[in-house]
CSV table of all heavy atoms in Angstrom, one decimal:
chain,number,residue,atom,x,y,z
G,74,ILE,N,111.4,92.3,113.3
G,74,ILE,CA,111.9,90.9,112.9
G,74,ILE,C,111.7,90.8,111.4
G,74,ILE,O,110.7,91.2,110.8
G,74,ILE,CB,111.0,89.9,113.6
G,74,ILE,CG1,111.2,90.0,115.2
G,74,ILE,CG2,111.4,88.5,113.1
G,74,ILE,CD1,112.5,89.5,115.7
G,75,TYR,N,112.7,90.2,110.8
G,75,TYR,CA,112.5,89.8,109.4
G,75,TYR,C,113.0,88.3,109.2
G,75,TYR,O,113.7,87.8,110.1
G,75,TYR,CB,113.3,90.7,108.4
G,75,TYR,CG,114.8,90.7,108.7
G,75,TYR,CD1,115.6,89.8,107.9
G,75,TYR,CD2,115.4,91.4,109.6
G,75,TYR,CE1,117.0,89.8,108.1
G,75,TYR,CE2,116.8,91.4,109.8
G,75,TYR,CZ,117.6,90.6,109.1
G,75,TYR,OH,118.9,90.5,109.3
G,76,GLY,N,112.6,87.7,108.1
G,76,GLY,CA,112.9,86.3,108.0
G,76,GLY,C,112.5,85.4,109.2
G,76,GLY,O,113.2,84.5,109.6
G,77,THR,N,111.3,85.7,109.7
G,77,THR,CA,110.7,85.0,110.8
G,77,THR,C,111.4,85.2,112.2
G,77,THR,O,110.7,85.3,113.2
G,77,THR,CB,110.6,83.5,110.6
G,77,THR,OG1,109.8,83.2,109.4
G,77,THR,CG2,110.1,82.7,111.8
G,78,SER,N,112.7,85.2,112.2
G,78,SER,CA,113.4,85.2,113.5
G,78,SER,C,114.6,86.1,113.6
G,78,SER,O,115.3,86.1,114.7
G,78,SER,CB,113.9,83.7,113.8
G,78,SER,OG,114.8,83.3,112.8
G,79,TYR,N,115.0,86.8,112.6
G,79,TYR,CA,116.1,87.7,112.6
G,79,TYR,C,115.7,89.1,113.1
G,79,TYR,O,114.8,89.8,112.6
G,79,TYR,CB,116.8,87.9,111.2
G,79,TYR,CG,117.4,86.6,110.7
G,79,TYR,CD1,116.6,85.7,110.0
G,79,TYR,CD2,118.7,86.3,111.0
G,79,TYR,CE1,117.2,84.5,109.5
G,79,TYR,CE2,119.3,85.2,110.5
G,79,TYR,CZ,118.5,84.3,109.8
G,79,TYR,OH,119.1,83.1,109.3
G,80,ARG,N,116.4,89.5,114.2
G,80,ARG,CA,116.1,90.8,114.8
G,80,ARG,C,116.7,92.0,113.9
G,80,ARG,O,117.9,91.9,113.5
G,80,ARG,CB,116.6,90.9,116.2
G,80,ARG,CG,115.7,90.3,117.2
G,80,ARG,CD,116.3,90.5,118.6
G,80,ARG,NE,117.4,89.7,118.9
G,80,ARG,CZ,117.4,88.4,119.2
G,80,ARG,NH1,116.3,87.8,119.4
G,80,ARG,NH2,118.5,87.8,119.4
G,81,ALA,N,115.9,93.0,113.7
G,81,ALA,CA,116.4,94.2,113.0
G,81,ALA,C,117.4,94.9,113.9
G,81,ALA,O,117.5,94.7,115.1
G,81,ALA,CB,115.3,95.1,112.6
G,82,THR,N,118.1,95.8,113.3
G,82,THR,CA,119.1,96.6,114.0
G,82,THR,C,118.5,97.3,115.2
G,82,THR,O,117.5,98.0,115.0
G,82,THR,CB,119.8,97.6,113.0
G,82,THR,OG1,120.4,97.0,111.9
G,82,THR,CG2,120.8,98.5,113.7
G,83,GLY,N,119.1,97.2,116.3
G,83,GLY,CA,118.7,97.9,117.5
G,83,GLY,C,117.6,97.3,118.3
G,83,GLY,O,117.2,97.8,119.3
G,84,ILE,N,117.1,96.1,117.8
G,84,ILE,CA,116.0,95.5,118.6
G,84,ILE,C,116.6,94.5,119.6
G,84,ILE,O,117.5,93.7,119.3
G,84,ILE,CB,115.1,94.7,117.6
G,84,ILE,CG1,114.6,95.6,116.5
G,84,ILE,CG2,114.0,94.0,118.3
G,84,ILE,CD1,113.8,96.8,117.0
G,85,PRO,N,116.2,94.7,120.9
G,85,PRO,CA,116.8,93.9,122.0
G,85,PRO,C,116.4,92.4,121.9
G,85,PRO,O,115.4,92.1,121.2
G,85,PRO,CB,116.2,94.5,123.2
G,85,PRO,CG,114.9,95.1,122.8
G,85,PRO,CD,115.1,95.6,121.4
G,86,ASP,N,117.2,91.6,122.5
G,86,ASP,CA,117.0,90.1,122.4
G,86,ASP,C,115.8,89.6,123.2
G,86,ASP,O,115.5,88.4,123.1
G,86,ASP,CB,118.3,89.4,122.8
G,86,ASP,CG,118.7,89.6,124.2
G,86,ASP,OD1,118.0,90.3,124.9
G,86,ASP,OD2,119.9,89.2,124.5
G,87,ARG,N,115.1,90.5,123.9
G,87,ARG,CA,113.9,90.0,124.6
G,87,ARG,C,112.7,90.0,123.6
G,87,ARG,O,111.6,89.5,123.9
G,87,ARG,CB,113.5,91.0,125.8
G,87,ARG,CG,113.4,92.4,125.4
G,87,ARG,CD,113.3,93.3,126.7
G,87,ARG,NE,113.1,94.7,126.3
G,87,ARG,CZ,111.9,95.1,125.9
G,87,ARG,NH1,110.8,94.3,125.9
G,87,ARG,NH2,111.7,96.4,125.5
G,88,VAL,N,113.0,90.5,122.3
G,88,VAL,CA,112.0,90.4,121.2
G,88,VAL,C,112.5,89.2,120.3
G,88,VAL,O,113.6,89.2,119.9
G,88,VAL,CB,112.0,91.7,120.4
G,88,VAL,CG1,111.0,91.5,119.2
G,88,VAL,CG2,111.5,92.8,121.3
G,89,SER,N,111.6,88.2,120.1
G,89,SER,CA,112.0,87.1,119.3
G,89,SER,C,110.8,86.7,118.4
G,89,SER,O,109.7,86.9,118.7
G,89,SER,CB,112.5,85.9,120.1
G,89,SER,OG,111.5,85.5,121.0
G,90,GLY,N,111.2,86.0,117.3
G,90,GLY,CA,110.2,85.5,116.4
G,90,GLY,C,110.5,84.0,116.1
G,90,GLY,O,111.6,83.6,116.1
G,91,SER,N,109.4,83.3,115.8
G,91,SER,CA,109.5,81.9,115.5
G,91,SER,C,108.3,81.5,114.6
G,91,SER,O,107.4,82.3,114.3
G,91,SER,CB,109.5,81.1,116.8
G,91,SER,OG,108.3,81.3,117.5
G,92,GLY,N,108.4,80.2,114.2
G,92,GLY,CA,107.3,79.7,113.4
G,92,GLY,C,107.7,79.2,112.0
G,92,GLY,O,108.8,79.3,111.6
G,93,SER,N,106.7,78.7,111.3
G,93,SER,CA,106.9,78.2,110.0
G,93,SER,C,105.5,78.0,109.3
G,93,SER,O,104.5,77.9,110.0
G,93,SER,CB,107.7,76.9,109.9
G,93,SER,OG,107.0,75.9,110.6
G,94,GLY,N,105.5,77.9,108.0
G,94,GLY,CA,104.3,77.5,107.3
G,94,GLY,C,103.1,78.5,107.4
G,94,GLY,O,103.1,79.5,106.8
G,95,THR,N,102.2,78.1,108.3
G,95,THR,CA,101.0,78.9,108.5
G,95,THR,C,100.8,79.3,109.9
G,95,THR,O,99.7,79.7,110.4
G,95,THR,CB,99.7,78.1,108.1
G,95,THR,OG1,99.7,76.9,108.9
G,95,THR,CG2,99.7,77.8,106.6
G,96,ASP,N,101.9,79.3,110.7
G,96,ASP,CA,101.8,79.6,112.1
G,96,ASP,C,103.1,80.3,112.6
G,96,ASP,O,104.2,79.6,112.7
G,96,ASP,CB,101.6,78.3,112.9
G,96,ASP,CG,101.2,78.6,114.4
G,96,ASP,OD1,101.1,79.8,114.7
G,96,ASP,OD2,101.0,77.7,115.1
G,97,PHE,N,103.0,81.6,112.8
G,97,PHE,CA,104.2,82.4,113.2
G,97,PHE,C,103.9,83.1,114.5
G,97,PHE,O,102.7,83.5,114.8
G,97,PHE,CB,104.6,83.4,112.1
G,97,PHE,CG,105.1,82.7,110.8
G,97,PHE,CD1,104.1,82.3,109.9
G,97,PHE,CD2,106.4,82.5,110.6
G,97,PHE,CE1,104.6,81.7,108.7
G,97,PHE,CE2,106.8,81.9,109.5
G,97,PHE,CZ,105.9,81.5,108.5
G,98,THR,N,104.9,83.3,115.3
G,98,THR,CA,104.8,83.9,116.6
G,98,THR,C,105.8,85.0,116.9
G,98,THR,O,107.0,84.8,116.5
G,98,THR,CB,104.9,82.9,117.7
G,98,THR,OG1,103.8,81.9,117.5
G,98,THR,CG2,104.7,83.5,119.1
G,99,LEU,N,105.4,86.1,117.5
G,99,LEU,CA,106.3,87.1,118.0
G,99,LEU,C,106.2,87.1,119.5
G,99,LEU,O,105.1,87.1,120.0
G,99,LEU,CB,105.9,88.5,117.5
G,99,LEU,CG,106.7,89.7,118.0
G,99,LEU,CD1,108.1,89.7,117.4
G,99,LEU,CD2,106.1,91.0,117.7
G,100,THR,N,107.3,87.0,120.2
G,100,THR,CA,107.3,86.9,121.6
G,100,THR,C,108.1,88.1,122.2
G,100,THR,O,109.2,88.3,121.7
G,100,THR,CB,107.9,85.6,122.1
G,100,THR,OG1,107.2,84.5,121.6
G,100,THR,CG2,107.9,85.5,123.6
G,101,ILE,N,107.6,88.7,123.1
G,101,ILE,CA,108.3,89.8,123.8
G,101,ILE,C,108.3,89.4,125.3
G,101,ILE,O,107.2,89.4,126.0
G,101,ILE,CB,107.6,91.2,123.6
G,101,ILE,CG1,107.3,91.4,122.2
G,101,ILE,CG2,108.5,92.3,124.2
G,101,ILE,CD1,106.5,92.7,121.9
G,102,SER,N,109.5,89.2,125.8
G,102,SER,CA,109.6,88.8,127.2
G,102,SER,C,109.8,90.1,128.0
G,102,SER,O,110.4,91.1,127.5
G,102,SER,CB,110.7,87.8,127.4
G,102,SER,OG,111.9,88.3,127.0
G,103,ARG,N,109.5,90.1,129.3
G,103,ARG,CA,109.8,91.2,130.2
G,103,ARG,C,109.4,92.5,129.5
G,103,ARG,O,110.2,93.4,129.2
G,103,ARG,CB,111.3,91.2,130.5
G,103,ARG,CG,111.8,89.9,131.1
G,103,ARG,CD,113.3,90.1,131.5
G,103,ARG,NE,114.1,90.5,130.5
G,103,ARG,CZ,114.6,89.8,129.5
G,103,ARG,NH1,114.3,88.5,129.4
G,103,ARG,NH2,115.4,90.3,128.6
G,104,LEU,N,108.0,92.7,129.4
G,104,LEU,CA,107.5,93.9,128.7
G,104,LEU,C,107.9,95.2,129.4
G,104,LEU,O,108.0,95.3,130.6
G,104,LEU,CB,106.0,93.8,128.7
G,104,LEU,CG,105.3,92.8,127.7
G,104,LEU,CD1,103.9,92.7,128.0
G,104,LEU,CD2,105.6,93.3,126.3
G,105,GLU,N,108.3,96.1,128.6
G,105,GLU,CA,108.7,97.5,129.0
G,105,GLU,C,107.7,98.5,128.5
G,105,GLU,O,106.9,98.2,127.5
G,105,GLU,CB,110.1,97.8,128.6
G,105,GLU,CG,111.1,96.8,129.2
G,105,GLU,CD,112.6,97.3,128.9
G,105,GLU,OE1,112.7,98.3,128.2
G,105,GLU,OE2,113.5,96.6,129.3
G,106,PRO,N,107.6,99.6,129.1
G,106,PRO,CA,106.6,100.6,128.6
G,106,PRO,C,106.6,100.9,127.1
G,106,PRO,O,105.6,101.1,126.5
G,106,PRO,CB,106.9,101.9,129.5
G,106,PRO,CG,107.5,101.3,130.7
G,106,PRO,CD,108.3,100.1,130.3
G,107,GLU,N,107.8,100.9,126.5
G,107,GLU,CA,107.9,101.2,125.1
G,107,GLU,C,107.3,100.1,124.2
G,107,GLU,O,107.1,100.3,123.0
G,107,GLU,CB,109.4,101.3,124.7
G,107,GLU,CG,110.2,100.0,124.8
G,107,GLU,CD,111.6,100.1,124.5
G,107,GLU,OE1,112.2,101.2,124.5
G,107,GLU,OE2,112.2,99.1,124.1
G,108,ASP,N,107.0,98.9,124.8
G,108,ASP,CA,106.5,97.8,124.0
G,108,ASP,C,105.0,97.9,123.8
G,108,ASP,O,104.4,97.2,122.9
G,108,ASP,CB,106.7,96.5,124.7
G,108,ASP,CG,108.2,96.2,124.8
G,108,ASP,OD1,109.0,96.5,123.9
G,108,ASP,OD2,108.6,95.6,125.9
G,109,PHE,N,104.3,98.8,124.5
G,109,PHE,CA,102.8,98.9,124.4
G,109,PHE,C,102.5,99.7,123.1
G,109,PHE,O,102.7,100.9,123.1
G,109,PHE,CB,102.2,99.4,125.7
G,109,PHE,CG,102.4,98.5,126.8
G,109,PHE,CD1,103.5,98.6,127.7
G,109,PHE,CD2,101.5,97.4,127.0
G,109,PHE,CE1,103.7,97.6,128.7
G,109,PHE,CE2,101.7,96.5,128.0
G,109,PHE,CZ,102.7,96.6,128.9
G,110,ALA,N,102.0,99.0,122.1
G,110,ALA,CA,101.9,99.6,120.8
G,110,ALA,C,101.0,98.6,120.0
G,110,ALA,O,100.5,97.6,120.5
G,110,ALA,CB,103.2,99.8,120.1
G,111,VAL,N,101.0,98.9,118.7
G,111,VAL,CA,100.3,97.9,117.7
G,111,VAL,C,101.4,97.2,116.9
G,111,VAL,O,102.3,97.8,116.5
G,111,VAL,CB,99.3,98.7,116.8
G,111,VAL,CG1,98.6,97.7,115.9
G,111,VAL,CG2,98.3,99.4,117.6
G,112,TYR,N,101.2,95.9,116.8
G,112,TYR,CA,102.1,95.0,116.1
G,112,TYR,C,101.5,94.5,114.8
G,112,TYR,O,100.3,94.0,114.8
G,112,TYR,CB,102.6,93.9,117.0
G,112,TYR,CG,103.4,94.4,118.1
G,112,TYR,CD1,102.8,95.0,119.2
G,112,TYR,CD2,104.8,94.3,118.0
G,112,TYR,CE1,103.6,95.5,120.3
G,112,TYR,CE2,105.6,94.8,119.1
G,112,TYR,CZ,105.0,95.4,120.2
G,112,TYR,OH,105.8,95.9,121.2
G,113,TYR,N,102.2,94.5,113.7
G,113,TYR,CA,101.7,94.0,112.4
G,113,TYR,C,102.7,93.0,111.9
G,113,TYR,O,103.9,93.2,112.0
G,113,TYR,CB,101.6,95.1,111.4
G,113,TYR,CG,100.6,96.2,111.7
G,113,TYR,CD1,101.0,97.4,112.3
G,113,TYR,CD2,99.3,96.0,111.3
G,113,TYR,CE1,100.1,98.4,112.6
G,113,TYR,CE2,98.4,97.0,111.6
G,113,TYR,CZ,98.7,98.2,112.2
G,113,TYR,OH,97.8,99.2,112.5
G,114,CYS,N,102.2,91.9,111.3
G,114,CYS,CA,103.0,91.0,110.5
G,114,CYS,C,102.8,91.3,109.0
G,114,CYS,O,101.8,91.9,108.7
G,114,CYS,CB,102.7,89.5,110.8
G,114,CYS,SG,101.0,89.0,110.6
G,115,GLN,N,103.8,91.0,108.2
G,115,GLN,CA,103.7,91.2,106.8
G,115,GLN,C,104.3,90.0,106.1
G,115,GLN,O,105.4,89.5,106.5
G,115,GLN,CB,104.4,92.4,106.4
G,115,GLN,CG,104.3,92.8,104.9
G,115,GLN,CD,105.2,93.9,104.4
G,115,GLN,OE1,106.2,94.2,105.1
G,115,GLN,NE2,104.9,94.4,103.2
G,116,GLN,N,103.7,89.6,105.0
G,116,GLN,CA,104.3,88.5,104.2
G,116,GLN,C,104.9,89.0,102.9
G,116,GLN,O,104.3,89.9,102.3
G,116,GLN,CB,103.2,87.4,103.9
G,116,GLN,CG,102.0,87.8,103.1
G,116,GLN,CD,102.3,87.7,101.6
G,116,GLN,OE1,103.2,87.1,101.1
G,116,GLN,NE2,101.5,88.5,100.8
G,117,PHE,N,106.0,88.4,102.5
G,117,PHE,CA,106.6,88.7,101.2
G,117,PHE,C,106.6,87.6,100.3
G,117,PHE,O,107.4,87.6,99.3
G,117,PHE,CB,108.1,89.1,101.5
G,117,PHE,CG,108.2,90.5,102.2
G,117,PHE,CD1,108.0,90.6,103.6
G,117,PHE,CD2,108.6,91.6,101.5
G,117,PHE,CE1,108.2,91.8,104.2
G,117,PHE,CE2,108.7,92.8,102.1
G,117,PHE,CZ,108.5,92.9,103.5
G,118,ALA,N,105.8,86.5,100.5
G,118,ALA,CA,105.9,85.3,99.7
G,118,ALA,C,105.3,85.6,98.3
G,118,ALA,O,105.7,85.0,97.3
G,118,ALA,CB,105.2,84.2,100.4
G,119,SER,N,104.2,86.4,98.3
G,119,SER,CA,103.6,86.6,97.0
G,119,SER,C,103.0,88.0,97.0
G,119,SER,O,102.6,88.5,98.0
G,119,SER,CB,102.6,85.6,96.6
G,119,SER,OG,101.5,85.6,97.4
Side-chain angles (χ1 to χ4, degrees):
Chain G
I74 297 287
Y75 64 96
T77 296
S78 60
Y79 292 89
R80 278 183 290 275
T82 302
I84 303 304
D86 60 8
R87 57 191 184 79
V88 177
S89 63
S91 62
S93 64
T95 58
D96 192 0
F97 295 86
T98 300
L99 178 72
T100 302
I101 309 171
S102 61
R103 305 184 306 279
L104 286 168
E105 297 188 1
E107 66 180 23
D108 298 324
F109 293 94
V111 180
Y112 292 80
Y113 296 95
C114 56
Q115 183 191 18
Q116 65 81 22
F117 289 80
S119 68

